[in-house]
């Protein structure tokens, strides 16, 4: 019956889609005015986005549907069971599938549920806002194929020929290898292509920091935080769906896809063209034309759109005039805007006034840049669609363009990384071993969001898990070691093809270095001539030919497979020069570049000073000059020593961390010990540290023997950062880890450091770390064996009464050395008082107890007073700030504290004491001669009561009384 209902709804005439509603009406009004068919169309149109959007609140939506009688208890349980298992995506798909199978009332109730849930589910809210903005135009806007005419019969044969041509061009994927027999392997695209995660907006229009660092450093954490809540995934077949459009246009759609180098933009374009040619996507496009800006650079003359298309697709000569009549059926793809030699200024108004810059006719001759501009701006063939891909560095060029859909390739997410390695290696045992090694190394694993890095890793690591003569313990750990083995494999397999590989690499490295300094990644024949390089099979192991045009050798240009390979070869050159000359000056000048263009280059230089990195290359390139290595080590030593005490500013802290990367890459134990071995304090507070940063920090501190204070407050290191730092935490005497959201799982890792027999931790600051009572057992376990910890700050957490109850077990241990315990703002009530009493009655070490900003109340403090009377209780500082105390507890508290001639500080700020308590407090101040400071502000004393208390100040000048 449900299926029949759906079929009936679909057959209703589209004329019923007219909606007489006010565009400014609210969403509930809009939905009320929708008939069943319109609501059906709305659901179908937004289906993919709704599946994503509901993930953030699918259990709540299911509950609302159950309450309204749409779902049975069993159906609701099926949905929520998937949520409990962490399969929110499947849960969301199931919910929508169930609703669509139940007919019109179910859909209406579901949309009403969306309205109720919208403010807690950002993606749903976004969809509803879009619908509200469109108002009555929503249904006219839904049909993506609106206005497309049927392809004339005389064009069908040529369309089929065009599809077959594109099919042949895109069905295989050429992959470079480092094998001597198979330099390039050819795979079927569908067998090799690994899905990428693409989001329907762009995070950053400009990329200030080095592209590798900018994405590698925060990628995982950023994805986890935002991907489920705000960011919408978009499939390649949805790039021209109007539901994703940010700019509504009647003259055609333009989409821009951004991605860092190697992220898969070009391969994604190949897959789009292949899928269209095989009929899988974009059926509404009758013809697709794909261009690479690399190819367009070779066209130096004025040209019209007709000849531009015929240059690449000559068989279409007789039908282009027909295609101009129906531009809605055309899709133009331009790949790699950042590689285009001409600049296209979309904010340039001269194009609208100067005829030579306008291109409104496909037969009009103009510059290639004007054709691209006019297509994107819908001045040429208005109604056609255009897809442009670009690196983030060039994306700002499109800010003023008529772009409807912005998208960014995030790269591989989650299991997509594993899928890549599974497809790369035919032997799944090798694939599993390589992936396991990568995943265990945080620095390598984080880079694997980028397919290009996965390719480098797979090429370099594969032999270690397939060749018996390689020792597993020699598997590369640093990025420099990894790239050394990558170059080693090229030299081993292709080195005998050339007489002097060292000389070729030296020249290549000089060209590469110039490119890094000038931010140049594409090189022409003139560059090879300048550096006396001849194209060869050996050289092509380092450089890829971007254009292989039979008709013009001059059109061939070259690039390194990835920017980091260019940077590595640049660094390698410094060790191939017989005379190191001014290498120290060169490194210092590179280091002084504020935009970070040399940052990875410098890490590689430092890394190549390591025997582990140099040894494989020296087998083919000869021994690296000892003088060069020494000068590099001296330079690193100078930089570390120059930065070690300069951590007062964020810039200083970041610079020091960068120099630690040099130490890490160098793997030089003696160098690290000489530079940081005697460091007593390291402070990176306020600097956002990633797991990679923590891994580097861990390595460096591991070589410090005198580290006393490690200050990482406000560094956002979380549990993953603690995991990386875990092996060295026991070495520090003071650990400041406040405001890091390490959570209960992070405390479990910290507890392992506390249990270490060699633990030196005396002060541990864990305030504001989202801790609950769940971590108390781990702390108790650690404190039962730890003999070094004397200061524990757990303030601004949510341990609660149950957490303190467990913690009291450790405090009762006669071997417990805790002297300072801060439990400020931990949701404590009088229920935990008995446990505190029990602990204080036996504890002999605690002298500073901070219970501020809790709700112990009078009853809690009265119980606490019992323990304070115990002569063995050594309390010197007691903080009861804002604990809902009244006069009722004053006598008990004062009576107990008067016996403590050790008491130096008492904080009763912001309670509810009145003049009734003044005599008792005066008695305490006069009796307790050890008291140095008492804070009584923000209570309810009268002016007279305040004067009585303040008057005691004169009799005891050494005492501070704040009233």
């Amino acid at each position: 019956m449900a299926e029949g209902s759906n079929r009936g709804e679909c057959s209703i005439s589209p004329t019923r889609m007219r909606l007489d509603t006010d565009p400014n009406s609210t969403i509930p009004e809009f939905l009320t005015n929708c008939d069943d068919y319109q609501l059906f169309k709305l659901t179908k149109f937004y289906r993919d986005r709704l599946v994503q959007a509901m993930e953030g609140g699918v259990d709540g939506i299911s509950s609302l549907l159950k309450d309204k009688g749409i779902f049975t208890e069993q159906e609701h349980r099926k949905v929520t069971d998937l949520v409990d298992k962490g399969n929110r995506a499947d849960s969301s798909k199931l919910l929508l599938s169930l609703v669509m199978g139940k007919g019109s009332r179910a859909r209406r109730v579901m949309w009403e549920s969306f309205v109720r849930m919208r403010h807690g589910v950002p993606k749903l809210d976004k969809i509803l806002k879009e619908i509200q903005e469109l108002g009555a135009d929503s249904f006219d806007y839904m049909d993506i194929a609106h206005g497309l005419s049927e392809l004339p019969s005389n064009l069908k044969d040529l369309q089929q020929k065009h599809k077959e041509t594109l099919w042949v061009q895109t069905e295989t994927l050429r992959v470079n290898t480092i094998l001597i027999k198979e330099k390039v392997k050819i795979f079927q695209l569908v067998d090799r292509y690994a899905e990428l995660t693409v989001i329907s907006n762009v995070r950053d229009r400009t990329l200030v920091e080095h592209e590798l660092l900018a994405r590698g450093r925060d990628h995982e954490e950023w994805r986890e935080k935002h991907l489920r809540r705000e960011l919408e995934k978009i499939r390649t077949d949805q790039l021209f769906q109007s539901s994703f459009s940010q700019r509504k246009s009647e003259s055609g759609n333009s989409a821009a896809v951004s991605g860092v180098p190697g992220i898969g933009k070009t391969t994604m374009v190949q897959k789009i063209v292949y899928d269209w040619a095989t009929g899988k996507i974009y059926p509404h496009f009758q013809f697709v034309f794909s261009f690479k800006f690399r190819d367009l650079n070779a066209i130096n003359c004025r040209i019209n759109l007709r000849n531009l298309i015929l240059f690449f697709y000559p068989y279409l000569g007789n039908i282009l005039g027909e295609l101009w009549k129906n531009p809605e059926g055309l899709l133009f793809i331009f790949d790699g805007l950042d590689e285009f030699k001409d600049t296209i200024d979309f904010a340039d108004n001269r194009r609208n006034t100067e005829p030579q810059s306008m291109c409104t006719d496909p037969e009009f001759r103009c510059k290639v840049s004007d054709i691209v501009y006019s297509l994107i701006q819908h001045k040429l063939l208005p109604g056609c669609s255009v897809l442009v891909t670009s690196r983030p560095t060039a994306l700002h060029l499109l800010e003023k363009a008529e772009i409807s859909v912005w998208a960014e390739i995030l790269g591989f997410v989650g299991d997509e990384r594993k899928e890549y390695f599974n497809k790369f290696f035919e032997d799944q045992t090798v694939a599993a071993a390589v992936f396991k090694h990568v995943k265990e190394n945080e620095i390598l694993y984080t880079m694997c969001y980028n397919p290009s890095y996965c390719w480098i890793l797979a090429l370099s690591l594969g032999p270690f898990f397939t060749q018996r003569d390689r020792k597993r313990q020699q598997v590369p750990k640093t990025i420099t070691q990894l790239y050394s083995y990558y170059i080693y494999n090229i030299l081993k397999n292709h080195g005998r093809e050339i007489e002097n590989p060292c000389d070729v690499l030296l020249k290549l490295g000089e060209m590469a270095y110039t490119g890094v300094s000038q931010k140049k990644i594409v090189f022409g024949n003139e560059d090879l001539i300048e550096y006396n390089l001849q194209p060869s099979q050996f050289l092509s192991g380092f450089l890829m030919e971007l254009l292989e045009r039979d008709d013009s050798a001059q059109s061939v240009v070259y690039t390194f497979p990835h920017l980091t390979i260019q940077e590595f070869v640049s660094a390698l050159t410094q060790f191939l020069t017989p005379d190191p000359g001014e290498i120290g000056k060169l490194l210092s000048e590179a280091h002084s570049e504020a935009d970070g263009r040399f940052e990875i280059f410098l890490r590689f230089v430092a890394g190549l000073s390591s025997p582990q990195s140099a040894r494989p290359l020296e087998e083919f390139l000869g021994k690296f000059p000892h003088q060069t290595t020494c000068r590099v080590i001296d330079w690193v030593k100078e930089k570390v020593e120059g930065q070690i005490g300069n951590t007062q500013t964020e810039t200083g802290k970041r610079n020091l961390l960068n120099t630690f990367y040099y130490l890490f890459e160098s793997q030089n134990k003696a160098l690290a010990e000489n530079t940081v071995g005697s460091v007593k304090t390291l402070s990176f507070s306020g600097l956002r540290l990633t797991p990679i940063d923590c891994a580097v920090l861990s390595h460096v501190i591991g070589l410090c023997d005198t580290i006393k204070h490690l200050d990482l407050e406000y560094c956002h290191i979380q549990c993953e950062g603690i995991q990386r730092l875990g092996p060295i935490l026991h070495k520090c005497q003071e650990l400041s880890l406040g405001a890091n959201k390490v959570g209960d799982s992070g405390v479990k890792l910290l507890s392992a450091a506390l249990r270490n027999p060699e633990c030196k931790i005396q002060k541990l600051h864990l305030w504001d770390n989202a801790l609950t009572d769940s971590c108390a057992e781990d702390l108790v376990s650690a404190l039962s064996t730890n003999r070094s910890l004397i200061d524990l700050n757990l303030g601004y957490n949510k341990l609660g009464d149950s957490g303190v109850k467990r913690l009291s077990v450790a405090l009762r241990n006669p071997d417990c050395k805790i002297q300072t315990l801060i439990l400020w703002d931990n949701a404590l009530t009088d229920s935990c008082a008995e446990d505190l009493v029990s602990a204080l009655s036996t504890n002999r070490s605690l002298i500073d107890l901070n219970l501020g900003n809790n709700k112990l109340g009078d009853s809690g403090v009265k119980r606490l007073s019992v323990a304070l009377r115990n002569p063995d209780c050594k309390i010197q500082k007691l903080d009861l700030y804002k604990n809902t105390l009244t006069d009722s507890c004053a006598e008990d508290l004062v009576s107990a504290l008067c016996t403590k001639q050790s008491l130096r500080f008492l904080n009763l700020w912001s309670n509810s004491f009145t003049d009734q308590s003044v005599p008792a407090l005066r008695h305490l101040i006069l009796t307790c001669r050890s008291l140095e400071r008492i804070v009584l502000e923000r209570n309810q004393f009268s002016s007279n009561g305040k004067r009585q208390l303040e008057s005691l100040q004169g009799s005891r000048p050494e005492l501070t009384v704040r009233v």
Side-chain angles (χ1 to χ4, degrees):
M1 181 174 177
E3 290 182 6
S5 174
N6 281 345
R7 283 198 298 270
E9 289 169 326
C10 288
S11 64
I12 295 176
S13 169
T15 58
R16 290 195 55 192
M17 284 165 40
R18 298 193 190 93
L19 187 64
D20 298 324
T21 60
D22 180 359
N24 297 318
S25 65
T26 64
I27 282 293
E29 291 173 334
F30 178 87
L31 295 176
T32 299
N33 286 300
C34 285
D35 60 31
D36 293 342
Y37 178 63
Q38 290 168 336
L39 210 56
F40 171 79
K41 290 288 290 182
L42 200 67
T43 309
K44 295 284 283 185
F45 180 70
Y46 282 104
R47 182 181 188 117
D48 291 321
R49 291 182 65 187
L50 286 174
V51 167
Q52 281 191 62
M54 287 192 297
E55 288 184 32
V58 62
D59 38 0
I61 296 168
S62 182
S63 294
L64 291 173
L65 291 169
K66 178 175 71 75
D67 294 342
K68 291 288 186 179
I70 302 299
F71 280 180
T72 64
E73 180 64 40
Q74 184 179 10
E75 288 170 330
H76 172 64
R77 197 177 302 114
K78 284 182 178 179
V79 172
T80 54
D81 281 350
L82 287 172
V83 174
D84 294 339
K85 294 176 182 177
N87 299 328
R88 284 185 168 269
D90 292 338
S91 175
S92 189
K93 290 175 185 175
L94 175 62
L95 185 147
L96 193 56
S97 177
L98 289 171
V99 168
M100 293 301 283
K102 289 178 178 288
S104 58
R105 180 173 176 269
R107 284 191 291 275
R108 191 170 296 278
V109 173
M110 179 180 69
W111 279 93
E112 291 169 354
S113 301
F114 293 163
V115 175
R116 292 182 61 181
M117 296 282 293
R118 65 185 297 182
H119 296 301
V121 187
K123 290 183 187 178
L124 276 180
D125 189 49
K126 182 179 178 182
I127 292 172
L128 292 173
K129 283 179 179 176
E130 288 178 7
I131 294 172
Q132 185 168 345
E133 288 174 5
L134 286 168
D137 296 329
S138 294
F139 301 103
D140 290 334
Y141 193 65
M142 282 183 197
D143 189 358
I144 190 171
H146 179 69
L148 292 183
S149 57
E150 179 71 18
L151 186 68
S153 57
N154 65 312
L155 298 182
K156 287 185 177 179
D157 289 342
L158 273 173
Q159 184 197 54
Q160 186 60 34
K161 177 180 176 61
H162 184 55
K163 285 189 173 185
E164 289 173 357
T165 300
L166 294 181
W167 187 344
V168 171
Q169 289 177 355
T170 59
E171 68 177 335
T172 57
L173 188 65
R174 293 169 59 88
V175 178
N176 291 326
T177 75
I178 45 180
L179 303 175
I180 192 166
K181 293 182 179 179
E182 285 185 291
K183 191 176 172 194
V184 175
K185 292 187 73 172
I186 299 177
F187 300 89
Q188 290 296 308
L189 177 66
V190 292
D191 294 336
R192 193 73 176 203
Y193 188 78
E195 289 297 329
L196 295 160
T197 292
V198 185
I199 55 173
S200 65
N201 53 350
V202 178
R203 293 174 289 170
D204 297 307
R205 298 283 177 90
T206 59
L207 196 62
V208 178
E209 199 175 7
H210 188 291
E211 287 172 329
L212 169 64
L213 294 177
R215 288 298 181 261
R217 203 185 293 153
D218 66 348
H219 177 74
E220 284 299 309
E221 177 190 305
W222 181 91
R223 180 203 63 191
E224 292 297 328
K225 182 177 180 181
H226 297 288
L227 195 55
R228 178 171 293 165
R229 281 184 56 79
E230 292 95 354
L231 298 178
E232 292 186 89
K233 294 182 183 179
I234 182 171
R235 299 193 310 270
T236 52
D237 62 315
Q238 297 173 319
L239 288 172
F240 296 97
Q241 276 192 12
S242 51
S243 68
F244 283 98
S245 296
Q246 297 180 14
R247 185 193 299 248
K248 315 305 179 186
S249 173
E250 296 181 0
S251 58
N253 291 311
S254 294
V257 177
S258 166
V260 296
I263 203 71
K265 299 182 292 296
T266 298
T267 307
M268 185 191 77
V269 165
Q270 180 178 341
K271 185 66 161 53
I272 288 174
V273 175
Y274 175 80
D275 285 346
W276 177 80
T278 54
K280 294 178 181 177
I281 62 171
Y282 300 153
H284 52 288
F285 290 133
Q286 296 166 353
F287 283 84
V288 171
F289 305 110
S290 181
F291 307 95
K292 289 182 172 66
F293 278 105
R294 298 169 179 173
D295 294 341
L296 299 182
N297 284 336
I299 301 175
N300 297 314
C301 59
R302 299 174 77 84
I303 193 171
N304 58 28
L305 180 61
R306 168 187 288 276
N307 288 334
L308 182 64
I309 292 175
L310 293 180
F311 188 70
F312 295 96
Y313 309 104
Y315 50 84
L316 296 176
N318 296 326
I319 67 159
L320 290 180
E322 288 289 317
L323 299 188
W324 307 152
K325 298 176 183 178
N326 185 31
E328 291 83 1
L330 304 179
L331 169 62
F332 293 89
I333 301 175
F334 295 97
D335 181 32
L337 175 63
D338 50 280
E339 296 173 0
F340 195 33
K341 67 180 181 181
D342 292 339
T343 299
I344 308 176
D345 188 354
F346 288 90
D348 189 354
N349 293 324
R350 288 182 299 123
R351 291 181 183 275
N352 299 323
T353 57
E354 296 184 11
Q356 66 269 24
S357 295
M358 290 182 62
C359 186
T360 57
D361 188 332
E363 310 291 336
F364 184 81
R365 290 183 176 274
C366 57
K367 294 190 297 184
V368 172
S369 60
D370 292 325
I371 294 176
V372 177
Y373 167 89
S374 300
L375 285 171
I376 292 175
Q377 296 297 80
H378 315 303
K379 298 178 184 298
L380 175 60
L381 298 180
C384 74
S385 295
V386 183
L387 170 62
V388 183
T389 71
S390 173
R391 291 185 182 186
T393 46
L395 206 60
H396 66 280
L397 298 173
L398 294 170
E399 285 185 340
K400 302 294 184 182
E402 295 288 329
I403 301 297
S404 305
V405 175
W406 293 93
E408 179 182 357
I409 303 176
L410 283 188
F412 293 145
V413 174
D415 288 341
E416 292 168 352
R417 305 176 186 211
K418 187 177 182 180
E419 179 190 357
Y420 180 94
F421 288 97
N422 288 341
K423 288 191 173 184
F424 188 95
F425 295 102
E426 294 179 7
D427 187 337
Q428 293 303 289
T429 304
V430 175
V434 171
F435 182 72
K436 181 176 182 292
H437 174 76
V438 169
K439 192 171 184 179
E440 288 175 351
N441 188 315
E442 175 64 22
I443 293 177
L444 302 183
Y445 182 65
T446 302
M447 295 195 306
C448 282
Y449 72 89
N450 191 314
S452 183
Y453 284 118
C454 291
W455 171 74
I456 293 171
L457 287 167
L459 284 177
S460 302
L461 293 174
F464 285 95
F465 297 92
T466 54
Q467 297 178 12
R468 295 179 181 178
D469 59 337
R470 295 278 181 91
K471 295 180 180 179
R472 292 291 169 88
Q473 64 265 29
Q474 294 178 340
V475 175
K477 291 182 179 180
T478 69
I479 300 176
T480 310
Q481 289 175 18
L482 172 72
Y483 279 70
S484 290
Y485 278 106
Y486 168 72
I487 302 298
Y488 167 86
N489 279 313
I490 295 178
L491 291 167
K492 182 178 180 181
N493 291 310
H494 298 291
R496 59 177 68 96
E497 298 168 3
I498 198 159
E499 185 176 338
N500 191 343
C502 182
D503 182 58
V504 174
L505 272 175
L506 177 60
K507 296 172 183 176
L508 182 66
E510 290 172 349
M511 186 180 80
Y513 178 82
T514 301
V516 172
S517 64
Q518 297 175 359
K519 290 188 171 181
K520 180 178 180 179
I521 61 171
V522 177
F523 303 90
N525 281 322
E526 67 278 7
D527 295 302
L528 268 63
I529 293 171
E530 180 181 350
Y531 289 94
N532 197 23
L533 289 166
Q534 296 292 328
S536 65
Q537 190 173 5
F538 173 73
L539 189 64
S540 62
F542 299 91
L543 290 177
M544 295 194 308
E545 294 182 357
L546 299 183
L547 302 177
E548 298 182 46
R549 312 283 307 220
D550 295 332
D551 57 336
S552 173
Q554 296 300 315
S555 65
V556 176
V557 293
Y558 305 87
T559 185
F560 289 87
H562 193 269
L563 176 59
T564 47
I565 294 177
Q566 180 178 337
E567 291 166 320
F568 183 85
V569 175
S570 302
L572 180 59
T573 296
Q574 312 310 317
F575 292 86
L576 300 180
T577 305
D579 180 10
E582 300 290 326
I583 187 171
K585 181 181 177 182
L586 179 144
L587 297 178
S588 294
E589 289 176 351
H591 187 266
S592 66
E593 286 288 347
D595 62 5
R597 72 182 70 181
F598 283 110
E599 196 54 59
I600 303 304
F601 162 81
L602 290 171
R603 292 184 190 180
F604 282 141
V605 171
L608 284 167
S609 69
S610 161
Q612 299 101 304
S613 298
R615 194 175 296 117
L617 298 173
E618 289 176 332
E619 182 179 330
F620 295 96
L621 302 175
K623 196 76 173 174
F624 288 178
H626 180 68
Q627 191 177 8
T628 301
T629 300
C630 290
R631 290 194 183 182
V632 170
I633 291 173
D634 288 342
W635 181 84
V636 172
K637 183 174 183 289
E638 175 190 337
K639 288 303 167 189
V640 177
E641 291 176 343
Q643 293 293 340
I644 202 72
N646 183 26
T647 57
Q648 291 76 30
T649 65
E650 181 175 340
T651 301
K653 292 169 183 174
R654 176 59 67 189
N655 288 339
L656 177 60
L657 184 62
N658 280 335
T659 60
F660 281 2
Y661 269 92
Y662 305 154
L663 289 177
F664 176 77
E665 288 296 324
S666 73
Q667 293 288 297
N668 189 326
K669 184 178 179 181
L671 174 62
E673 289 175 342
N674 288 335
T675 52
V676 298
S678 59
V679 170
K680 295 182 179 180
T681 300
L682 281 176
S683 174
F684 293 98
S685 61
L687 189 67
R688 193 180 183 90
L689 299 179
T690 65
I692 295 179
D693 296 331
C694 291
V696 170
L697 199 55
S698 177
H699 170 80
V700 173
I701 294 176
L703 301 173
C704 295
D705 294 324
T706 59
I707 185 76
K708 289 186 177 180
H709 184 195
L710 178 60
D711 184 0
L712 301 180
E713 292 183 348
Y714 295 104
C715 288
H716 204 72
I717 59 176
Q718 301 186 309
C719 177
E720 199 169 0
I722 293 292
Q723 184 177 4
R724 306 299 164 191
L725 291 163
I728 55 88
L729 293 177
H730 69 281
K731 300 182 66 173
C732 309
Q733 291 184 21
E734 182 174 353
L735 271 177
S736 298
L737 299 173
N740 274 300
K741 299 289 185 288
V742 303
D744 297 331
S745 52
V747 170
K748 182 183 285 290
L749 297 170
L750 272 168
S751 297
L754 290 170
R755 285 193 295 268
N756 190 313
E758 298 180 3
C759 179
K760 298 178 182 178
I761 301 173
Q762 296 179 10
K763 296 182 179 181
L764 178 58
H765 299 167
L766 288 172
W767 52 271
D768 192 15
N769 266 296
L771 308 184
T772 72
D773 61 341
S774 298
C775 73
E777 286 296 339
D778 295 299
L779 279 174
V780 170
S781 171
L783 294 176
S784 65
T785 58
N786 181 276
R787 297 295 175 264
S788 63
L789 190 65
I790 59 174
D791 186 333
L792 180 59
N793 187 340
L794 297 170
Y796 293 106
N797 287 295
K798 298 299 176 188
L799 295 179
D801 296 329
S802 57
V804 170
K805 184 181 186 72
R806 296 174 185 174
L807 202 57
S808 297
V809 174
L811 294 174
R812 285 198 296 269
N813 188 322
D815 294 323
C816 178
K817 305 299 183 184
I818 297 291
Q819 296 178 13
T820 299
L821 178 61
I822 299 177
L823 294 171
W824 178 284
D825 193 8
N826 260 283
L828 308 184
T829 72
D830 60 346
S831 297
C832 72
E834 286 297 338
D835 299 292
L836 284 172
V837 169
S838 172
L840 291 174
S841 297
T842 58
N843 185 279
R844 300 293 180 268
S845 61
L846 192 64
I847 60 175
D848 184 351
L849 179 59
N850 189 324
L851 298 169
N853 208 29
N854 288 292
K855 293 184 179 180
L856 293 180
D858 293 333
S859 59
V861 169
K862 285 181 179 181
R863 296 177 195 172
L864 198 62
S865 300
V866 175
L868 293 173
R869 286 194 185 90
N870 189 319
D872 292 325
C873 177
K874 307 298 184 184
I875 289 293
Q876 296 179 14
K877 297 176 69 176
L878 180 62
D879 196 327
L880 293 171
Y881 164 93
K882 203 174 183 179
N883 259 283
T884 64
L885 307 183
T886 72
D887 298 326
S888 175
C889 72
E891 288 291 344
D892 295 278
L893 181 61
V894 168
S895 175
L897 293 177
C898 281
T899 66
K900 308 239 75 65
Q901 288 306 315
S902 60
L903 184 69
R904 294 187 295 108
F905 172 78
L906 176 63
N907 187 2
L908 297 174
W909 173 302
S910 197
N911 283 290
S912 299
F913 294 114
T914 69
D915 288 359
Q916 183 179 335
S917 300
V918 169
L921 292 169
R922 282 176 59 86
H923 178 65
L924 172 65
I925 293 170
L926 292 169
T927 305
C928 187
R929 305 305 295 181
S930 61
L931 190 62
E932 298 172 357
R933 191 178 189 211
I934 182 169
V935 181
L936 298 168
E937 293 172 285
R938 297 286 181 89
N939 279 283
Q940 298 177 17
F941 302 120
S942 67
S943 298
N944 182 49
K946 289 181 180 180
R947 280 195 298 272
Q948 290 185 53
L949 292 167
E950 288 171 339
S951 66
L952 298 175
Q953 182 93 49
S955 61
R956 289 188 56 192
E958 79 283 1
L959 173 66
T960 300
V961 181
R962 289 178 50 185
V963 187

